[in-house]
Amino acid sequence: MQHSPPSDPLLAPALVRLAAWLQGEGYRFTTVTPATHARVNARPENRVARSLRDVFGWSRPFAASLLPAAATDPLRAAGLLLPASDGLLRSAVRFSTLGGTLFAHSAFPTLEEDAVFFGPDTYRFVDLVQQELRRQPLPAGGRILDVGCGSGAGGIQAALAAADAAPRLALTDINHRALAFAGANAAHARCGPADLAQGDLFHALEGPWDLVVANPPYLNDDKQRLYRHGGGRWGEALSARIVREGVPELAPGGRLVLYTGAVMVEGGDPLFDALRPHLEACGQPWSYREMDPDVFGEELDEPAYADAERIAAVALVVQRQR
């Protein structure tokens, strides 16, 4: 078990400060797919930012005079204020609205190895988690683990949805930067104390858990960036590991809620084919379904997906019997 502070101690406080200021300014933004983001930003009139949404949502370059010190000071303190072309600046952080609060994540485009991703998948993931908690509320004092947490949106929203149960939230990731963002997002959301730990999946903290939520990377990324690459032939390996290693970590009555992507090949689902023997062998109730039949279609242009028909968003729920 390894508890680790963020690599930059100034990052999380700066993000909390900036989120509070933006919330006070009435800022709201819904993050779209990278393909849509690129199309919108390519319009000539969107070359330079004119508003807070342009700076912190659309990640457009801006003139220094656009933002007050209340915004630039925390950006500069955390190394998030970067130079752009033509004497302009840009923010290395974005903020998206989800469930009435703001979540910090990496600026567009997310090219860095340690980028913290947030997008339409995040909204679907959180909706799935909330559906599960409405179907079966968390027990009093229940332990929630967001494994591979990224921005922490899944675990934070689960803790907020189960606030009456006074849950205990843990956020784990292999990425130091993701933990800093997740910790800041938890503090801003006021979801209660959150235990942050760096490590590989379930090795970071000890179970058992009443609710495990996971939205792992599921693409086959040729650069093998942490926030995108899932490993295996189709990017399915990490999702399969979460299921194999996660079910034994559940408390009696506990649930594993996995939102991920599944590549469909000649009408078949290789992820489900890999998971099914383990699910049947574990002897616990489970359900598997498609939430969206077609996501990240632009990835099909990549050589790794030459044989793929589509990428679907899928949901798996496994519940340990009492």
Side-chain angles (χ1 to χ4, degrees), residues 97-115:
T97 309
L98 195 165
T101 191
L102 296 181
F103 284 83
H105 53 104
S106 294
F108 177 86
T110 47
L111 301 177
E112 300 85 1
E113 163 67 18
D114 61 353

Side-chain angles (χ1 to χ4, degrees), residues 5-8 11-13 15-16 150 175-185 196:
S7 55
D8 181 355
L11 179 56
L15 293 174
V16 174
N175 179 359
H176 258 303
R177 192 169 184 84
L179 287 175
F181 274 67
N185 289 332
L196 307 178

Side-chain angles (χ1 to χ4, degrees), residues 4-321:
S4 302
S7 55
D8 181 355
L10 298 178
L11 179 56
L15 293 174
V16 174
R17 181 180 167 190
L18 191 52
W21 180 79
L22 286 169
Q23 194 105 41
E25 293 294 310
Y27 171 92
R28 295 183 63 85
F29 187 80
T30 299
T31 295
V32 295
T33 65
T36 295
H37 197 132
R39 289 187 179 98
V40 173
N41 272 3
R43 297 168 183 166
E45 66 271 22
N46 292 336
R47 189 184 70 85
V48 177
R50 300 185 298 275
S51 69
L52 291 180
R53 294 179 76 252
D54 290 350
V55 173
F56 294 109
W58 292 110
S59 295
R60 294 169 188 160
F62 61 94
S65 59
L66 181 64
L67 297 183
T72 56
D73 285 353
L75 284 174
R76 187 174 289 108
L80 298 170
L81 189 64
L82 305 179
S85 60
D86 300 325
L88 300 175
L89 301 170
R90 69 180 184 92
S91 168
V93 61
R94 276 187 289 175
F95 288 85
S96 292
T97 309
L98 195 165
T101 191
L102 296 181
F103 284 83
H105 53 104
S106 294
F108 177 86
T110 47
L111 301 177
E112 300 85 1
E113 163 67 18
D114 61 353
V116 182
F117 188 76
F118 189 109
D121 269 341
T122 311
Y123 295 102
R124 286 186 286 257
F125 170 46
V126 166
D127 185 61
L128 171 66
V129 171
Q130 291 173 335
Q131 286 179 37
E132 275 300 305
L133 287 171
R134 286 192 294 269
R135 183 183 68 83
Q136 179 182 319
L138 196 73
R143 300 184 72 203
I144 300 171
L145 172 64
D146 187 345
V147 62
C149 65
S151 70
I156 291 167
Q157 288 293 331
L160 291 172
D164 290 345
R168 293 171 291 170
L169 173 63
L171 303 166
T172 69
D173 204 292
I174 201 169
N175 179 359
H176 258 303
R177 192 169 184 84
L179 287 175
F181 274 67
N185 289 332
H188 175 68
R190 298 182 180 178
C191 64
D195 190 6
L196 307 178
Q198 186 192 21
D200 180 31
L201 298 185
F202 300 95
H203 300 287
L205 289 171
E206 295 178 359
W209 306 99
D210 297 286
L211 178 66
V212 173
V213 300
N215 174 19
Y218 57 75
L219 296 175
N220 187 335
D221 180 45
D222 60 353
K223 296 182 177 63
Q224 298 193 12
R225 287 165 287 186
L226 290 176
Y227 77 97
R228 279 174 57 89
H229 189 61
R233 172 67 179 85
W234 304 107
E236 79 290 347
L238 186 57
S239 296
R241 269 193 66 201
I242 287 171
V243 176
R244 289 195 306 269
E245 298 177 19
V247 172
E249 296 291 328
L250 296 176
R255 281 167 291 173
L256 169 66
V257 180
L258 173 71
Y259 172 94
T260 191
V263 174
M264 303 299 170
V265 183
E266 295 184 353
D269 181 346
L271 172 62
F272 182 64
D273 291 343
L275 289 176
R276 185 165 188 165
H278 176 74
L279 292 170
E280 292 178 345
C282 77
Q284 308 297 336
W286 56 271
S287 65
Y288 181 93
R289 63 183 175 89
E290 286 191 24
M291 293 183 66
D292 192 316
D294 184 12
V295 298
F296 286 106
E298 66 273 14
E299 294 295 327
L300 300 184
D301 292 333
E302 299 297 323
Y305 294 95
D307 298 327
E309 297 176 347
R310 59 189 175 94
I311 304 172
V314 299
L316 171 68
V317 179
V318 185
Q319 180 155 11
R320 183 176 174 183
Q321 295 175 320

